[in-house]
Amino acid sequence: MKIICYFTLLMIIGCSNNTRKWYPTKTAIYNSSSFQVGDIIVKDKLITDPISWMGHSSVIVDDNIIGDFPKLGEKYYTIDINSWLNEPERRVVVLRYEHFDESFKQKFLENIKLYGKGKYKMSFSKKTPDNFYCSKFVWFLFFKTAQDLGYNLDLDSDGGPIVFPYDFLKSPLLKEVYQN
């Protein structure tokens, strides 16, 4: 019973309402040529699938390539954006850090190589450089890249010790990549 209560609380905290516009994955695939390295894609939650109750997030790591920690026990992998978004029942929001310039991109790509290994594991501290899960990996890449460039950056809208995919939706530092 404690586990159910804890999980329900996490779901409520991690999946609160947002004001971003959701798009069908088909629309995102159609507009994927406008996406850039560093763009964050947040998938909505599926009530019928407990694994997706927290939503899911990943980041574009190359032209039309997603870098992802998919689920518990799985390793980090890269996949083309069309395959990753091939879930017609889901919707997505695509977000961009507006200060993602060439120097940030170069350090960001170095950090992907450095931290994009290992298996998906839960962690109760988003600042540790191991035990990644989907949204922690995305958050940590931005946090560490900014730190390496000499400034602080926290894309987690509530600033808590755990970052959920939906926490990116309320970050004032991320702008929507509009889709037509």
Side-chain angles (χ1 to χ4, degrees), residues 113-153:
K113 289 179 184 173
L114 185 61
Y115 298 105
K117 48 189 158 196
K119 290 185 177 180
Y120 183 117
K121 296 179 188 174
M122 286 306 297
S123 172
F124 293 101
S125 174
K126 65 185 177 190
K127 292 185 179 182
T128 57
D130 53 8
N131 299 329
F132 290 116
Y133 52 92
C134 68
S135 49
K136 178 186 174 185
F137 180 66
V138 172
W139 180 89
F140 187 83
L141 286 174
F142 282 88
F143 168 77
K144 181 65 174 141
T145 299
Q147 191 177 54
D148 291 347
L149 294 173
Y151 66 98
N152 292 318
L153 177 63

Side-chain angles (χ1 to χ4, degrees), residues 138-175:
V138 172
W139 180 89
F140 187 83
L141 286 174
F142 282 88
F143 168 77
K144 181 65 174 141
T145 299
Q147 191 177 54
D148 291 347
L149 294 173
Y151 66 98
N152 292 318
L153 177 63
D154 187 353
L155 297 180
D156 180 0
S157 61
D158 67 12
I162 299 172
V163 59
F164 295 98
Y166 277 42
D167 289 339
F168 296 124
L169 300 175
K170 291 185 178 180
S171 174
L173 303 171
L174 296 171
K175 303 298 179 206

Side-chain angles (χ1 to χ4, degrees), residues 7 11 44-56 71 87 89-90:
F7 191 72
M11 191 175 104
D44 67 345
K45 57 187 175 179
L46 289 175
I47 299 300
T48 58
D49 180 9
I51 293 173
S52 78
W53 283 354
M54 299 296 194
H56 189 65
K71 60 185 173 182
E87 294 182 90
E89 71 280 7
R90 293 191 82 170

